[in-house]
Structures are given as structure tokens and as C-alpha cells.
Amino acid sequence: MITDGAAMGRKSVGKEYPSHGSVLGGKPNRCVIHPLQSSMVAEALERRNKDWIVRTKDATDLIVQVGDFSFHLHKLAMVSKSGYLRRLAFAERSGEENGSSLKIILEDLPGGTKSFELVVSFCYGGKIDVTATNIAPLYCAATFLEMTEDLQQGNLISKTEAFLSYLMLSSWKDTFQILKSCESVSSWSKELLIVKRCSDAIAWKACIDPKAFATLEEDEAFCLTLLANSHGNLNVEESSEKWWFEDVSTLRIDHFVQVIESIKSRGMKSELVGSCIAHWTVKWFSRITSGFDNLTPKHLAQKLQRITIESLIKMLPMEKNSVSCNFLLHLLKLGLTKQINSEALSKLERRIAFMLEECSVQDLLVKNYGSKDTTYDVGIIIRVVKTYALFALKYSEPRVCIVGRLMDGYLPLIAKDTNLTVDDFKSLAEALPTNARYSDDNLYKAMDMYLLAHPNLTEEERTNVCGAMQYHRLSQDARQHVMKNDRLPLKIVREFMLLEQVKMARSITACESNDHPRTKTRTIMKVTKGLDRGCLTPKREISMIRKEVENMKMQLDQLQTCKVKLQRQVKRCIK
């Protein structure tokens, strides 16, 4: 409590209870500042259009212009408390020689007219009401005008500084209101460390248990209400750690960056820092999509968005699992949309690529919202997987196969999308090296699903879709399915059937007796004989090959049966 005998006047403190899921509600703190003494007391301060006139027994001899407003004042009252005005008044005496008032123009006064009104009232011995919404601009204005203790004890800098410090240390909600008011005096508030001090105060309180804010009886109700209203979808333990997210998400990007840096320096868990950044980003993105950027010229809004996304990427904690892959993919999508710096994009792509081995298919789902777009953004997945492939040669095969299984789970999910282009499907299917899959069965299933969902593809397009599939990497069941699949391009089916014939021919030859050395030659000749069938239509040729394969399969089954019988007879003879 600061009494009238000290630098501050009377003070009223409101209790802090959450409002609408936030701790920023409640009655604001306020302070009434009285100057200890004044060389001149004003009878009244009147406004006439854009002129402010101080009424005293003496005529005014100083005009101070702030923005569009002119203040008709007395030099004695103003220069006795402002070193800056004193220097200007002594430097320019030409006005006095002509018998007219001296005119001073303050072009860059922090807080503008509103702050100067309070300064004038203070200089003339009046009391001024100060709250969290105007204390920062007023403190900056007092510093600008050099209202120091050297000129008069209890001058405005010391009084505003004392109340400013009190609010930062004692009030959570007022600290945020101070930061909000700093937006209008951005450069001064940073230079005077107001933003940093507020950020440090927020960080200090965010890193402690919320029960430390008040008496136990009052604060138990405060915490329970906060947790119930603000984080209804979280369990109690999560809510108790994340209670500060909602309020921090109200900050603009430069203040948010400073708060996050302060929180990091106090040793906050990286997972919580990452979650807070994700929470802020969701709030910020919702403001963009809601059209709030219409208040800003388009080119400035785009520049701000780029700076914001680049700042978010830079501040991400580097610890493993501090942010989710899905959030980073959404951030990458934002970055691509807003055309941010290529270096920042590459940095983000590499980070996501290194996380793929620990991701699930659900982590890769980033929605599109255009009517002609795919349901999920496949383009960013292609970029990330290709980035991973650049480093895959350095990794062991089991590691790379983890990502291969991830893609085999992702491909069927997107294959049914009618808006998915052949090029995108093909790029994703071929992005990983061959050793990323132990088998192409799942890849074949995804290709078949894509062909089923896109029945109007040309023969060339279907061939491109199936280009990554290899015969020798399919299981026997998958190869049998390929032989009967009419959705596949004829070229692929024919090649696979011929390869199946060769495989069976070799198996038959291996099963036959070594007493017939010409058998292998005759069999291979029979298989290769049909390779030159230019007079047949592709479908007729496929049908013929299919029959030959079936016949060879029957022969192979018979040979296998005979082999088993012979083995049994040999065992009996041995016994």
C-alpha cells in the first residue's frame, strides 16, 4: 500500500477473479498521483476545439503543440518540472523578443495528446488518475520530457516508475494491460525495458503454482474456477500447468516472443513452452481467418504475417518432443502460404523430416479448405518426405523402414480423394528409396485404391500410378491379385504375367529329373515364345498369358505333389 505521504496518492485495488476463462477480468487497480509542490496552480484546464487553455491569474506565454492539438501554458509551470522543455525554452527566445508566446512542437511525444494532458495537470498541481492502461505511455512521456528528481523531488518519472513496478509485481491482469498499452509506445517501452520487465513478471508467475497469488481461502476458489472455465478439455494436472496459456495468447507477436524468452530462461519445461506456442498460433491463425487483418493495409498485413511465422519458427524449443509433428506441419503450411523466408522454411522442413520416425499417420493430416483442393495437404508431406530421403542413405534400414510403413499407412488414406492428382500420388509413392519397404504389398493396395477412386484415368496415367511397384517385391498372394486385376494398366499386367511364367518355368524345371536336360530349354522357349505377339490385341494377349500361367501353375502343383510322394517313399525304404 502506497500512502499520500509517499510518491503516490490513494490507491484502490480490485480482487482478481477470472472472467470468461481468463484471469484478465476483475476490477482494475488505480492510483491517484499528487505532485509534492507546484510553482503555479491552475484554476481550470479548458478545451476549445483543438486548443487546450490553462486558466490562471497570469497570461500564458508558452504554446506546446502535440499532434493536432495546441496547449496554451506557462513556461514557469512547465520548465520547472521538464528538463527537455527547459532546454527548448532557453534555446528559442525569438518569440519573447516579439512579445508573443514561445511555441514548441513535440512531434514524437510517447502517448501523444492523452499523456500530455496528464503531464500538464501534474505540472499545475492537479491530481491525475493512473491505471494499468495509461501508466506505460505516461512513464514514457515523463522520461521523454526528462521529468527527473534533479528538477524537483517527487517528479513524475519517479512516481510513475513506483506505480509501474507495483503493478508488475502484484497484479497478473494489470501486467497484461500494461503490455497492451505498450503497443502505442513500442520503441520507448522496449528502450525503457517495460516490455522485458512485464515479461519477466509473467514468466515468474507462470512458473509457480497459481495458489501463490492470494490467500489460501480466496485462491482455492480462484484456481478451481480458472481450471473449470479455461481448460475444460484438460485433466486437472494439465490445467494446473497450462492455466496461463489463454492470457499469454492475447499478446501480439513481439511481446509474446519476449514472454517466451523469459519463460525459457526460468527453466520452464520445453513441452509446456511448445504447447503455449501452439496455443498462441491457433489463436493468431483464427484471427487471420476471421478477417481481422482487413483493418490493416494488405501489403502491411502480409509482411506482418511473414514476420510472425518466422518469429514462431525461431522461438520453437529445440528439445525433442517439445512440439508435435502435426503442429509443425500446420506451421509449414502457413509459411508456404505466406511465402516466408526460404531459410526458415528449410529449417522447419528438416526438423519435421527428423521427426517422421516417431510419427503416426494422424500426425500427417493437415486439412485443406478449398473446394477444389484435396481433403488433406499432400504437397507439404511430399516436401518433408523428400527432405527425409536426402538423409535416408545415412540411416540403417530398420530406421528407414519405419518411415516406409508410415507412408504405406498414409497413402491408402489419401488414395480415395478424387482431387488427388496422379503426379502427387506418384511423387509420394516414389519419394522414399527402395529399401524403405520390405514388401510392396501395402503400396500395391494403395495404388489399387487410387485406381478404384479414379476410374477415368488414361492408360498412361494408370501406368504412372503403378510405376513404383516391383514384381519381385510382392508376395505370392499380391501377385495372384495383380493377375486378375482389370484396373491395372495392361502393360503392367503383361509384364507381371510374363515374369510369373518365367518364375514358374524355373520352378518346374527345378522339380523335374536331371535325366531330362532339355526340359529347361524347352520350357524357357515355350515361355519366351509368346513375347512377340504383335498381331494380338493387348486384352487378347493378356487372356492368353493368363491361361498359360494357370496351366503352368497346375503343372507346378502336380510336380510338387509327386515330389512329396517320392519323398515319403524314400523315407519308407530307408526304414
Side-chain angles (χ1 to χ4, degrees):
M1 181 73 73
I2 303 175
T3 63
D4 290 340
M8 296 297 174
R10 63 182 182 276
K11 176 180 66 68
S12 172
V13 180
K15 294 181 181 179
E16 297 181 40
Y17 291 102
S19 173
H20 305 294
S22 170
V23 291
L24 297 187
K27 186 178 179 181
N29 290 327
R30 60 184 291 270
C31 170
V32 179
I33 295 179
H34 291 275
L36 294 182
Q37 58 183 346
S38 179
S39 56
M40 183 175 292
V41 178
E43 298 174 358
L45 179 61
E46 300 176 353
R47 177 180 173 181
R48 298 177 183 176
N49 296 323
K50 292 187 176 182
D51 289 326
W52 285 91
I53 301 174
V54 176
R55 292 288 183 193
T56 65
K57 296 178 181 179
D58 301 318
T60 60
D61 56 359
L62 174 66
I63 299 175
V64 178
Q65 184 172 333
V66 181
D68 295 332
F69 291 85
S70 295
F71 291 80
H72 297 264
L73 311 169
H74 300 82
K75 277 194 298 183
L76 179 61
M78 301 304 296
V79 302
S80 63
K81 291 185 173 63
S82 170
Y84 182 72
L85 292 178
R86 174 177 290 189
R87 286 203 312 277
L88 291 180
F90 281 109
E92 300 182 22
R93 297 170 179 256
S94 57
E96 292 181 9
E97 295 174 0
N98 297 327
S100 60
S101 297
L102 174 66
K103 185 171 184 179
I104 295 175
I105 300 175
L106 300 180
E107 295 180 347
D108 302 317
L109 180 70
T113 306
K114 290 184 178 180
S115 291
F116 196 67
E117 288 177 30
L118 297 176
V119 169
V120 170
S121 181
F122 177 83
C123 290
Y124 280 89
K127 62 182 182 180
I128 55 176
D129 275 345
V130 185
T131 65
T133 59
N134 65 9
I135 183 64
L138 183 59
Y139 175 62
C140 293
T143 305
F144 178 93
L145 295 170
E146 301 173 15
M147 303 178 73
T148 63
E149 297 293 293
D150 294 339
L151 297 175
Q152 188 177 88
Q153 186 180 2
N155 212 342
L156 192 55
I157 290 179
S158 62
K159 296 200 172 198
T160 51
E161 162 67 25
F163 187 56
L164 189 63
S165 298
Y166 171 80
L167 291 179
M168 289 178 187
L169 292 173
S170 65
S171 175
W172 172 265
K173 65 178 178 61
D174 284 340
T175 307
F176 283 89
Q177 289 174 344
I178 291 169
L179 276 177
K180 185 67 178 175
S181 69
C182 285
E183 294 178 6
S184 62
V185 288
S186 183
S187 60
W188 276 91
S189 62
K190 289 179 181 177
E191 184 176 340
L192 296 176
L193 302 180
I194 300 175
V195 173
K196 186 179 187 309
R197 291 165 61 193
C198 286
S199 300
D200 289 343
I202 291 171
W204 172 67
K205 293 172 184 176
C207 291
I208 63 175
D209 194 303
K211 292 181 180 180
F213 280 124
T215 62
L216 180 62
E217 182 179 355
E218 291 176 334
D219 198 61
E220 284 178 352
F222 165 80
C223 291
L224 291 174
T225 306
L226 173 63
L227 301 184
N229 293 346
S230 187
H231 301 288
N233 59 332
L234 302 175
N235 60 44
V236 173
E237 183 177 355
E238 289 175 324
S239 298
S240 64
E241 290 184 322
K242 300 181 179 181
W243 62 270
W244 49 279
F245 282 19
E246 191 65 28
D247 298 318
V248 172
S249 68
T250 63
L251 301 174
R252 75 179 192 183
I253 183 62
D254 55 338
H255 296 165
F256 178 67
V257 169
Q258 184 67 62
V259 168
I260 290 297
E261 292 302 319
S262 296
I263 285 175
K264 284 181 179 179
S265 67
R266 294 195 68 87
M268 177 73 77
K269 290 189 292 186
S270 60
E271 295 86 350
L272 278 177
V273 175
S275 295
C276 182
I277 294 173
H279 188 88
W280 187 95
T281 306
V282 170
K283 291 284 186 180
W284 170 74
F285 182 68
S286 66
R287 290 196 289 269
I288 292 178
T289 54
S290 299
F292 290 161
D293 275 354
N294 293 336
L295 301 175
T296 308
K298 187 175 181 181
H299 69 285
L300 292 177
Q302 291 175 344
K303 183 178 180 180
L304 175 60
Q305 290 165 16
R306 285 196 295 271
I307 293 173
T308 298
I309 298 168
E310 290 167 6
S311 299
L312 289 170
I313 294 172
K314 288 178 183 177
M315 79 167 82
L316 289 171
M318 298 308 297
E319 288 83 358
K320 190 176 181 180
N321 299 324
S322 57
V323 283
S324 71
C325 180
N326 188 259
F327 165 66
L328 293 180
L329 284 169
H330 279 87
L331 196 57
L332 177 60
K333 181 179 177 68
L334 275 174
L336 290 168
T337 303
K338 304 303 178 183
Q339 300 177 335
I340 67 170
N341 181 279
S342 58
E343 184 179 348
L345 278 178
S346 298
K347 178 182 177 182
L348 189 56
E349 285 175 6
R350 288 195 299 272
R351 177 162 186 171
I352 300 170
F354 295 146
M355 295 176 68
L356 287 178
E357 295 173 20
E358 300 174 0
C359 289
S360 67
V361 173
Q362 294 299 315
D363 292 327
L364 305 182
L365 303 183
V366 179
K367 277 206 167 188
N368 283 323
Y369 297 97
S371 58
K372 295 183 180 180
D373 294 328
T374 53
T375 303
Y376 299 107
D377 193 330
V378 179
I380 59 172
I381 305 301
I382 294 173
R383 293 177 67 110
V384 170
V385 175
K386 284 185 175 180
T387 300
Y388 177 85
L390 295 176
F391 301 94
L393 295 176
K394 303 177 183 178
Y395 303 150
S396 63
E397 186 171 307
R399 285 183 62 182
V400 180
C401 284
I402 292 173
V403 181
R405 287 194 294 272
L406 179 66
M407 289 300 103
D408 285 348
Y410 181 74
L411 280 168
L413 193 148
I414 63 170
K416 300 176 183 179
D417 196 321
T418 55
N419 290 329
L420 182 63
T421 66
V422 171
D423 289 341
D424 281 349
F425 183 88
K426 183 174 182 290
S427 295
L428 198 54
E430 297 177 350
L432 292 173
T434 305
N435 67 338
R437 294 181 174 91
Y438 294 118
S439 166
D440 280 357
D441 283 18
N442 290 326
L443 181 61
Y444 167 61
K445 290 177 183 177
M447 291 175 175
D448 191 35
M449 292 173 66
Y450 184 83
L451 294 175
L452 181 63
H454 302 78
N456 298 323
L457 297 178
T458 65
E459 185 73 7
E460 182 180 359
E461 288 174 331
R462 287 190 292 161
T463 302
N464 285 334
V465 169
C466 301
M469 181 174 60
Q470 299 183 30
Y471 167 83
H472 67 279
R473 297 178 64 82
L474 292 175
S475 65
Q476 185 62 38
D477 290 341
R479 288 198 292 266
Q480 291 302 315
H481 192 276
V482 168
M483 306 302 172
K484 302 174 184 178
N485 193 342
D486 294 331
R487 287 185 291 274
L488 295 176
L490 296 176
K491 179 182 177 182
I492 297 291
V493 175
R494 182 172 60 181
E495 288 178 359
F496 276 37
M497 283 186 173
L498 290 174
L499 290 170
E500 186 72 8
Q501 276 187 299
V502 172
K503 178 177 177 293
M504 287 188 175
R506 288 173 177 169
S507 299
I508 292 172
T509 304
C511 291
E512 290 182 338
S513 173
N514 292 330
D515 295 335
H516 300 85
R518 295 180 59 198
T519 302
K520 181 176 180 179
T521 304
R522 288 198 305 270
T523 306
I524 298 299
M525 286 178 62
K526 182 178 179 182
V527 170
T528 57
K529 181 180 177 182
L531 292 177
D532 186 15
R533 293 180 172 129
C535 59
L536 298 176
T537 62
K539 289 188 177 181
R540 175 65 176 162
E541 182 180 353
I542 293 294
S543 179
M544 289 179 62
I545 297 175
R546 186 174 286 154
K547 288 180 180 179
E548 291 176 8
V549 171
E550 291 297 327
N551 290 333
M552 295 182 72
K553 185 179 179 183
M554 290 175 61
Q555 293 178 32
L556 183 59
D557 289 343
Q558 290 172 1
L559 286 171
Q560 291 288 354
T561 302
C562 291
K563 183 178 179 180
V564 171
K565 288 181 179 179
L566 286 171
Q567 288 174 343
R568 288 176 180 172
Q569 290 177 2
V570 170
K571 287 181 180 179
R572 288 173 186 170
C573 292
I574 293 174
K575 291 179 180 179

mmCIF file of all heavy atoms in Angstrom, residues 77-91:
data_model
loop_
_atom_site.group_PDB
_atom_site.id
_atom_site.type_symbol
_atom_site.label_atom_id
_atom_site.label_comp_id
_atom_site.label_asym_id
_atom_site.label_seq_id
_atom_site.Cartn_x
_atom_site.Cartn_y
_atom_site.Cartn_z
ATOM 1 N N ALA A 77 5.555 27.001 -15.067
ATOM 2 C CA ALA A 77 4.977 25.747 -14.573
ATOM 3 C C ALA A 77 5.598 24.529 -15.270
ATOM 4 O O ALA A 77 5.865 23.503 -14.626
ATOM 5 C CB ALA A 77 3.464 25.748 -14.775
ATOM 6 N N MET A 78 5.869 24.665 -16.566
ATOM 7 C CA MET A 78 6.310 23.512 -17.338
ATOM 8 C C MET A 78 7.815 23.264 -17.218
ATOM 9 O O MET A 78 8.250 22.119 -17.029
ATOM 10 C CB MET A 78 5.935 23.682 -18.812
ATOM 11 C CG MET A 78 4.439 23.847 -19.056
ATOM 12 S SD MET A 78 3.432 22.477 -18.389
ATOM 13 C CE MET A 78 4.037 21.108 -19.373
ATOM 14 N N VAL A 79 8.613 24.342 -17.315
ATOM 15 C CA VAL A 79 10.060 24.126 -17.313
ATOM 16 C C VAL A 79 10.589 23.788 -15.922
ATOM 17 O O VAL A 79 11.695 23.272 -15.776
ATOM 18 C CB VAL A 79 10.808 25.360 -17.878
ATOM 19 C CG1 VAL A 79 10.350 25.665 -19.290
ATOM 20 C CG2 VAL A 79 10.642 26.567 -16.963
ATOM 21 N N SER A 80 9.789 24.058 -14.913
ATOM 22 C CA SER A 80 10.242 23.735 -13.554
ATOM 23 C C SER A 80 10.252 22.226 -13.320
ATOM 24 O O SER A 80 10.923 21.736 -12.412
ATOM 25 C CB SER A 80 9.336 24.409 -12.519
ATOM 26 O OG SER A 80 8.014 23.918 -12.620
ATOM 27 N N LYS A 81 9.525 21.475 -14.140
ATOM 28 C CA LYS A 81 9.459 20.018 -13.955
ATOM 29 C C LYS A 81 9.973 19.238 -15.172
ATOM 30 O O LYS A 81 10.161 18.029 -15.086
ATOM 31 C CB LYS A 81 8.014 19.591 -13.657
ATOM 32 C CG LYS A 81 7.502 20.037 -12.290
ATOM 33 C CD LYS A 81 6.123 19.461 -12.030
ATOM 34 C CE LYS A 81 5.681 19.761 -10.596
ATOM 35 N NZ LYS A 81 5.539 21.196 -10.321
ATOM 36 N N SER A 82 10.207 19.900 -16.301
ATOM 37 C CA SER A 82 10.649 19.217 -17.517
ATOM 38 C C SER A 82 11.982 19.778 -18.003
ATOM 39 O O SER A 82 12.063 20.929 -18.450
ATOM 40 C CB SER A 82 9.601 19.350 -18.636
ATOM 41 O OG SER A 82 10.115 18.890 -19.870
ATOM 42 N N GLY A 83 13.023 18.951 -17.929
ATOM 43 C CA GLY A 83 14.331 19.372 -18.410
ATOM 44 C C GLY A 83 14.352 19.558 -19.913
ATOM 45 O O GLY A 83 15.046 20.443 -20.440
ATOM 46 N N TYR A 84 13.579 18.750 -20.627
ATOM 47 C CA TYR A 84 13.538 18.844 -22.093
ATOM 48 C C TYR A 84 12.915 20.169 -22.527
ATOM 49 O O TYR A 84 13.461 20.892 -23.377
ATOM 50 C CB TYR A 84 12.745 17.662 -22.657
ATOM 51 C CG TYR A 84 12.667 17.623 -24.172
ATOM 52 C CD1 TYR A 84 13.781 17.302 -24.935
ATOM 53 C CD2 TYR A 84 11.475 17.907 -24.832
ATOM 54 C CE1 TYR A 84 13.717 17.272 -26.318
ATOM 55 C CE2 TYR A 84 11.391 17.872 -26.210
ATOM 56 C CZ TYR A 84 12.512 17.549 -26.948
ATOM 57 O OH TYR A 84 12.445 17.520 -28.315
ATOM 58 N N LEU A 85 11.775 20.527 -21.939
ATOM 59 C CA LEU A 85 11.129 21.797 -22.277
ATOM 60 C C LEU A 85 11.985 22.983 -21.834
ATOM 61 O O LEU A 85 11.997 24.028 -22.498
ATOM 62 C CB LEU A 85 9.742 21.866 -21.627
ATOM 63 C CG LEU A 85 8.687 20.885 -22.169
ATOM 64 C CD1 LEU A 85 7.371 21.041 -21.400
ATOM 65 C CD2 LEU A 85 8.449 21.095 -23.660
ATOM 66 N N ARG A 86 12.706 22.814 -20.725
ATOM 67 C CA ARG A 86 13.570 23.907 -20.245
ATOM 68 C C ARG A 86 14.655 24.203 -21.290
ATOM 69 O O ARG A 86 14.919 25.372 -21.601
ATOM 70 C CB ARG A 86 14.205 23.513 -18.914
ATOM 71 C CG ARG A 86 15.232 24.517 -18.420
ATOM 72 C CD ARG A 86 15.794 24.131 -17.075
ATOM 73 N NE ARG A 86 14.784 24.286 -16.020
ATOM 74 C CZ ARG A 86 15.054 24.179 -14.716
ATOM 75 N NH1 ARG A 86 16.284 23.895 -14.324
ATOM 76 N NH2 ARG A 86 14.099 24.326 -13.825
ATOM 77 N N ARG A 87 15.275 23.154 -21.844
ATOM 78 C CA ARG A 87 16.327 23.371 -22.840
ATOM 79 C C ARG A 87 15.781 24.037 -24.086
ATOM 80 O O ARG A 87 16.389 24.956 -24.646
ATOM 81 C CB ARG A 87 16.983 22.034 -23.226
ATOM 82 C CG ARG A 87 17.902 21.474 -22.162
ATOM 83 C CD ARG A 87 18.925 20.527 -22.765
ATOM 84 N NE ARG A 87 18.334 19.557 -23.662
ATOM 85 C CZ ARG A 87 17.765 18.429 -23.277
ATOM 86 N NH1 ARG A 87 17.701 18.140 -21.983
ATOM 87 N NH2 ARG A 87 17.256 17.599 -24.151
ATOM 88 N N LEU A 88 14.609 23.598 -24.535
ATOM 89 C CA LEU A 88 13.998 24.188 -25.732
ATOM 90 C C LEU A 88 13.606 25.641 -25.479
ATOM 91 O O LEU A 88 13.757 26.504 -26.350
ATOM 92 C CB LEU A 88 12.774 23.382 -26.165
ATOM 93 C CG LEU A 88 13.035 21.969 -26.720
ATOM 94 C CD1 LEU A 88 11.721 21.306 -27.100
ATOM 95 C CD2 LEU A 88 13.965 22.020 -27.917
ATOM 96 N N ALA A 89 13.101 25.919 -24.288
ATOM 97 C CA ALA A 89 12.654 27.285 -23.966
ATOM 98 C C ALA A 89 13.818 28.259 -23.944
ATOM 99 O O ALA A 89 13.720 29.396 -24.429
ATOM 100 C CB ALA A 89 11.921 27.294 -22.628
ATOM 101 N N PHE A 90 14.960 27.856 -23.393
ATOM 102 C CA PHE A 90 16.118 28.732 -23.339
ATOM 103 C C PHE A 90 16.824 28.839 -24.688
ATOM 104 O O PHE A 90 17.494 29.825 -24.982
ATOM 105 C CB PHE A 90 17.104 28.252 -22.271
ATOM 106 C CG PHE A 90 16.693 28.624 -20.885
ATOM 107 C CD1 PHE A 90 16.243 27.669 -19.984
ATOM 108 C CD2 PHE A 90 16.740 29.943 -20.468
ATOM 109 C CE1 PHE A 90 15.851 28.013 -18.709
ATOM 110 C CE2 PHE A 90 16.356 30.308 -19.189
ATOM 111 C CZ PHE A 90 15.904 29.338 -18.295
ATOM 112 N N ALA A 91 16.662 27.804 -25.518
ATOM 113 C CA ALA A 91 17.322 27.812 -26.825
ATOM 114 C C ALA A 91 16.588 28.702 -27.820
ATOM 115 O O ALA A 91 17.184 29.251 -28.739
ATOM 116 C CB ALA A 91 17.410 26.383 -27.381
#
